[in-house]
Amino acid sequence: MSDQLLAWFKEHPDEFISGEEISRRLDISRTAVWKQINRLRSKGYEFEAVPKLGYRLVQMPTRLDEVSLLAKLKTSKLGHQLRIIARTESTQNEAAAWAQQGAEDGAVIIAEEQTMGRGRHGKSWHSPAGKGIWMSLILRPQIPLQFTPHLTLLAAVALCRAMKRVTEIELGIKWPNDILHDNKKVCGILTESSAEDERLVHVIAGFGISVNLDAHDYPDELKAIATSLKIASGKEIDRASLIAECLFQLEQLYKLYVEQGFAPIRALWEAQSITIGRSVTVGTPNGPVSGVAQGLDETGALILLGEDGCYRKIFSGDIHFTG
């Protein structure tokens, strides 16, 4: 039915079609018409809705393609082995399977839409079609297993730098790896590793960047806490250019990490942090821990100074600003 409706709009470009007419032609209720329009919106189609006139198709989703994206790459390695797929449950799952099949270090998989995108601590990630960057990167780093948290922090710095360069908007990192604009989340990062006999085999770094979502693309429960680069900047962002910049920044910082270790990455992370110096409460497996964020230690743990004057290291948990 959605295909029928879309074909009809394409046959009548720039024309309004009334909900009553759609209802009559498709033999469905007006409520069902609204649901069909929203289904197309979720796939990246933009409609103008005007009372008494109906709906008008104003924009079709732009699709990423491998040839155009490869032409934009500035990297020597990252992204040169590339897959772009229309729809999947999660790019993390696709990348894990590809890694098991022998995908090379730096291979990237991108989906136009995720139906079960996931974030940290088992949370879901809203990933509508044609609106964002839903991407997973396969890495095969030659580092000890206990250093894998460094890569998560490195990725946060790289993506924050890339988005600032492309959009010129203010962004900051909330520990450990959420990227926010005006206290609303625009990007999340999830790293998952595979090890054998205490040896790191590969790391799958997943990136969810809300690029061109409009306010109506968010479910009600996310509208107060999430935003997109388009909403923040007031303009449409070229996703291919942003992907290319993200991969370039990731490669540059990864080279720096290999050459000089975590110290310069830590300094860059702290420079872009919106966490340091603020009072926070962190939900940990052992209960909430509160204090003023001081910075990162050499492992990437967050150092908190409690009211009792004691310093504590937080290795994982959900963080909430309290001041």
Side-chain angles (χ1 to χ4, degrees), residues 146-150 153 257 261-263 265-266 270 295-303 313 315:
Q146 65 268 27
F147 288 172
T148 51
H150 290 170
L153 298 160
Y257 175 68
F262 183 58
I265 304 302
R266 176 170 59 181
E270 291 179 343
L296 303 179
D297 78 352
E298 65 279 0
T299 71
L302 182 67
I303 303 171
K313 294 182 179 182
F315 295 93

Side-chain angles (χ1 to χ4, degrees), residues 102-270:
E104 66 184 32
D105 181 45
V108 169
I109 188 159
I110 303 167
E112 287 286 0
E113 178 184 11
Q114 292 183 122
T115 58
M116 296 179 67
R118 64 180 186 271
R120 295 171 63 242
H121 305 305
K123 295 179 181 178
S124 62
W125 187 263
H126 184 55
S127 316
K131 295 279 189 168
I133 295 173
W134 326 126
M135 174 172 73
S136 292
L137 167 66
I138 299 169
L139 294 172
R140 300 185 183 277
Q142 302 298 309
I143 61 173
L145 182 61
Q146 65 268 27
F147 288 172
T148 51
H150 290 170
L151 300 179
T152 302
L153 298 160
L154 182 157
V157 175
L159 267 60
C160 192
R161 284 161 61 116
M163 289 187 283
K164 283 182 175 180
R165 293 194 179 196
V166 172
T167 67
E168 299 182 342
I169 63 174
E170 287 297 317
L171 297 164
I173 305 171
K174 177 183 176 184
W175 185 84
N177 54 15
D178 288 343
I179 300 174
L180 278 62
H181 169 77
D182 196 22
N183 290 318
K184 291 186 175 182
K185 191 169 176 177
V186 296
C187 173
I189 298 167
L190 174 67
T191 53
E192 298 174 315
S193 57
S194 175
E196 292 179 2
D197 300 324
E198 299 300 315
R199 182 181 64 85
L200 186 61
V201 177
H202 66 250
V203 174
I204 309 296
F207 312 121
I209 307 176
S210 299
V211 183
N212 289 322
L213 281 76
D214 294 295
H216 62 73
D217 291 314
Y218 289 99
D220 290 342
E221 64 270 19
L222 294 180
K223 288 180 178 178
I225 59 174
T227 191
S228 73
L229 298 177
K230 179 182 178 183
I231 294 171
S233 66
K235 61 185 179 182
E236 191 96 3
I237 307 299
D238 181 69
R239 290 187 297 153
S241 295
L242 180 53
I243 291 168
E245 185 64 28
C246 286
L247 292 174
F248 176 73
Q249 293 295 332
L250 283 162
E251 186 169 274
Q252 294 303 302
L253 290 186
Y254 188 62
K255 287 179 181 177
L256 179 65
Y257 175 68
V258 170
E259 293 169 0
Q260 300 184 32
F262 183 58
I265 304 302
R266 176 170 59 181
L268 290 169
W269 187 96
E270 291 179 343

Side-chain angles (χ1 to χ4, degrees), residues 6 10 43-46 57-63 236:
L6 182 58
K10 288 179 177 178
K43 295 183 179 297
Y45 294 90
E46 298 285 343
L57 179 62
V58 295
Q59 185 174 320
M60 292 187 286
T62 56
R63 303 292 185 189
E236 191 96 3

